[in-house]
Amino acid sequence: IVTAVAVLPLHDMRIFAGEVAQADILCDGRMIVGVGRGAFGYEMGRLGVPLENSREKFDESLNVLIKLLSEEEVEWRGKYYQFEPLTIMPRPRSQPIPQIMMAVLAPEAIYHSALRGFHIQTSPLAGGHAHLLEQVDAFHRGRDELGKGGEHLRLSLLRVVFAARDEEDAKQKVVLADDYFRRFDNVFTGPGVVSRGAIEPLARQQSIEELAQ
């Protein structure tokens, strides 16, 4: 049982660790927790964690989460967390901790995450097949270098796909995909132009012909 991405910089790890432990017990130790740093500048900014600061906070949050799940009477003195000794209850069923799946896009980051023993959740987004292969190769390199400890690691790969009846239908599906990515890019890497909850479609660098490839 794998969760989607919990954006750690937006959560308090002292609360989230307890939620993970409870879910792990209810799932009889079968849960894999998906975590990430956050990717949408619009979302992160509106919730008070600017994207440019999210990597640093994510790294500390992940370390706090692992510590709380694996140890009792945890005390922390960091930049984002400072607290006296505490023990989350109940304790997780999985030992030493529930398995973690890292949401990550860059091939090099995929490699290092797999090398640390994390499952990987990724997507090439609008990237081509060559980029997808780079991501897959990075996972295999990290897993293989980890040796026996990496044999259980999984790669979850999301790829947007449209099924078309014929060539004309395929062209219409590409137009739909282009409209989707115009909105996606707006809040992902763009200025975040949103009106009354509706994401505005903005111009993209990638042409519709390139997207069709």
Side-chain angles (χ1 to χ4, degrees):
I1 300 175
V2 184
T3 72
V5 183
V7 181
L8 296 191
L10 301 182
H11 295 269
D12 186 319
M13 291 302 98
R14 292 162 291 190
I15 298 173
F16 185 65
E19 295 171 341
V20 169
Q22 182 69 58
D24 182 59
I25 292 169
L26 295 174
C27 293
D28 198 26
R30 296 176 295 140
M31 184 179 68
I32 299 176
V33 186
V35 302
R37 62 170 283 199
F40 293 89
Y42 177 84
E43 173 190 46
M44 301 297 287
R46 291 301 190 279
L47 294 176
V49 184
L51 195 59
E52 54 268 25
N53 299 335
S54 67
R55 165 56 64 188
E56 184 181 54
K57 187 173 183 182
F58 170 79
D59 289 340
E60 183 173 339
S61 297
L62 179 62
N63 290 334
V64 171
L65 176 63
I66 292 173
K67 193 87 168 176
L68 288 169
L69 290 171
S70 61
E71 300 180 18
E72 299 180 3
E73 291 302 284
V74 174
E75 180 180 4
W76 196 269
R77 294 287 182 268
K79 180 175 181 179
Y80 297 96
Y81 286 92
Q82 303 88 30
F83 54 84
E84 300 301 321
L86 61 85
T87 300
I88 63 160
M89 293 295 289
R91 302 302 299 164
R93 184 186 186 282
S94 300
Q95 295 298 321
I97 64 170
Q99 297 181 62
I100 293 176
M101 177 172 279
M102 192 73 66
V104 60
L105 298 175
E108 196 63 19
I110 291 173
Y111 162 75
H112 286 291
S113 296
L115 192 59
R116 287 187 64 185
F118 298 126
H119 301 285
I120 299 298
Q121 187 174 140
T122 192
S123 169
L125 298 178
H129 188 65
H131 181 59
L132 182 151
L133 293 179
E134 289 178 5
Q135 292 175 313
V136 173
D137 177 69
F139 167 75
H140 286 300
R141 285 191 293 112
R143 184 192 64 180
D144 293 347
E145 287 185 29
L146 189 58
K148 191 173 182 61
E151 291 178 354
H152 70 291
L153 295 183
R154 302 178 185 179
L155 171 64
S156 175
L157 183 64
L158 174 66
R159 183 62 155 161
V160 177
V161 175
F162 287 94
R165 293 186 299 271
D166 50 39
E167 190 66 30
E168 185 58 34
D169 187 41
K171 292 179 181 178
Q172 294 178 11
K173 293 296 194 299
V174 171
V175 172
L176 291 174
D178 181 65
D179 180 72
Y180 165 79
F181 280 115
R182 284 173 181 268
R183 300 172 194 275
F184 179 90
D185 291 353
N186 176 6
V187 291
F188 184 61
T189 56
V193 181
V194 179
S195 177
R196 302 178 67 86
I199 303 171
E200 298 291 336
L202 302 182
R204 305 181 66 235
Q205 292 185 349
Q206 183 183 44
S207 69
I208 195 167
E209 292 77 19
E210 291 171 331
L211 179 62
Q213 299 300 316

